[in-house]
Amino acid sequence: MNKYLDDIEKYLEQLMPDENCCEENVVKAIRYSVLAEGKRVRPTLVLAFCEAFGGDVEAALPYACAIEMIHAYSLIHDDLPCMDNDDLRRGRPSNHKVFGEDIALLAGDALQSLAFESMLSPSALEKTGSNGARAAHILACECGVHGMVGGQVIDLETEGKDPSVEIISEMYSKKTGALIRAACTMGAVLAGADNRAVSLARTYAENIGLAFQIVDDILDIESDTQTLGKPVGSDAENEKVNYVTKVGVDSGRELVEKLTSNALKVLDEISADTDFLRDFAVSLSHRLK
């Protein structure tokens, strides 16, 4: 984990635009969110699946960091007053509280472009070829209207309503699960894994992605702002019904355990060293922030 994180942090720093330019404010806003301390779940999964299937981890770094930039852009936009209107992120003021709504919006837009610059650069594609192009396509699909953006739309449209568990699950599958699916499948694709292996990576991702979001729901009820680094109780404040408020904390925990167990069973079908992916799935289910 420490090796992955070290490589990710160094490469993210390399990808950041230079502050000494006429667009200084937006560059500062980009750096503020991307380089803030985070769990780096998604880029870690890209590298872990790439390595598990025998791929070149160094060649996968532009793709791992691209997905982290997409995640950062989504958090910037998610915090805006027109979305969740949150003032705190990763223990610091949200991007728009520091740089203003206009610059924050543009920083998110720029990060989306920068992610694809990273993946589709000649130097990246020289190492990954058609697998790199395929990985970029996966991310494009999962972060768009049928993925992350679509999940955010469902989130907005269900405010103040009482959505069914099925609709909440669909929202989670898109808003949170999409980038986790992208990460796992991108890593497998970059390693040149066959279709069956990519499908197994996707199934693993679907299980830990839903578990990840349900843990978030539980922490939103039981944790505190200082521990999480973001406001707690925000769903209730925004009149949002989440999975745990629908079925209860105990049922939520039971489902997290079941989903994590499902993910571990998927790894049993992969003929590779998956010890890290096992430990990672368990650690995500037990996280406190």
Side-chain angles (χ1 to χ4, degrees):
M1 184 68 187
N2 289 334
K3 176 65 167 65
Y4 288 150
L5 290 176
D6 188 49
D7 289 346
I8 290 163
E9 299 301 337
K10 288 178 180 176
Y11 204 84
L12 278 172
E13 177 66 50
Q14 291 177 31
L15 291 172
M16 291 297 96
D18 188 353
E19 288 186 28
N20 298 317
C21 62
C22 59
E23 300 85 6
E24 178 183 356
N25 284 341
V26 76
V27 171
K28 285 182 176 179
I30 288 170
R31 295 177 66 90
Y32 180 84
S33 288
V34 173
L35 301 180
E37 182 179 349
K39 293 183 283 292
R40 310 303 192 205
V41 168
R42 295 149 191 85
T44 295
L45 285 168
V46 174
L47 300 184
F49 265 98
C50 181
E51 186 166 33
F53 288 116
D56 182 347
V57 171
E58 184 179 352
L61 274 170
Y63 303 85
C65 291
I67 202 167
E68 184 65 13
M69 288 189 282
I70 293 290
H71 179 54
Y73 120 66
S74 75
L75 298 182
I76 293 172
H77 284 189
D78 202 38
D79 289 338
L80 288 170
C82 62
M83 298 292 179
D84 284 354
N85 194 24
D86 282 331
D87 295 343
L88 197 66
R89 175 68 67 176
R90 292 177 173 172
R92 304 192 300 172
S94 299
N95 197 291
H96 70 276
K97 300 300 292 185
V98 178
F99 299 98
E101 292 177 38
D102 48 1
I103 293 296
L105 180 69
L106 292 170
D109 293 344
L111 277 170
Q112 184 170 205
S113 297
L114 189 58
F116 286 92
E117 285 181 42
S118 173
M119 293 185 291
L120 299 174
S121 68
S123 59
L125 291 177
E126 184 179 359
K127 295 179 180 179
T128 61
S130 61
N131 288 337
R134 185 180 170 194
H137 181 257
I138 289 170
L139 183 54
C141 294
E142 293 285 19
C143 72
V145 68
H146 300 300
M148 183 183 72
V149 170
Q152 181 67 11
V153 171
I154 296 173
D155 193 13
L156 291 171
E157 292 182 344
T158 54
E159 282 186 19
K161 298 177 182 178
D162 185 23
S164 66
V165 169
E166 290 75 19
I167 290 177
I168 293 171
S169 296
E170 181 184 357
M171 176 179 70
Y172 287 0
S173 174
K174 293 178 177 179
K175 184 175 179 180
T176 302
L179 289 192
I180 292 177
R181 277 196 306 276
C184 297
T185 54
M186 287 167 69
V189 163
L190 288 166
D194 60 28
N195 289 338
R196 179 178 179 274
V198 173
S199 178
L200 289 171
R202 180 183 177 88
T203 303
Y204 170 92
E206 287 171 345
N207 281 282
I208 68 164
L210 181 53
F212 186 91
Q213 184 56 56
I214 294 172
V215 171
D216 254 14
D217 291 349
I218 294 171
L219 293 176
D220 190 58
I221 294 171
E222 296 190 340
S223 190
D224 57 81
T225 299
Q226 184 175 358
T227 301
L228 289 184
K230 62 181 180 180
V232 296
S234 57
D235 280 350
E237 185 177 329
N238 291 326
E239 298 184 331
K240 291 181 180 179
V241 175
N242 62 38
Y243 190 92
V244 172
T245 57
K246 196 82 172 173
V247 305
V249 171
D250 289 342
S251 293
R253 284 202 179 96
E254 288 176 8
L255 182 56
V256 168
E257 290 182 12
K258 180 180 178 181
L259 291 165
T260 304
S261 177
N262 290 345
L264 300 183
K265 289 176 183 176
V266 170
L267 296 178
D268 290 338
E269 300 184 49
I270 296 176
S271 57
D273 182 358
T274 58
D275 286 350
F276 175 82
L277 290 166
R278 290 176 183 279
D279 292 343
F280 197 59
V282 173
S283 70
L284 291 180
S285 70
H286 294 159
R287 66 192 172 90
L288 299 176
K289 61 180 183 178

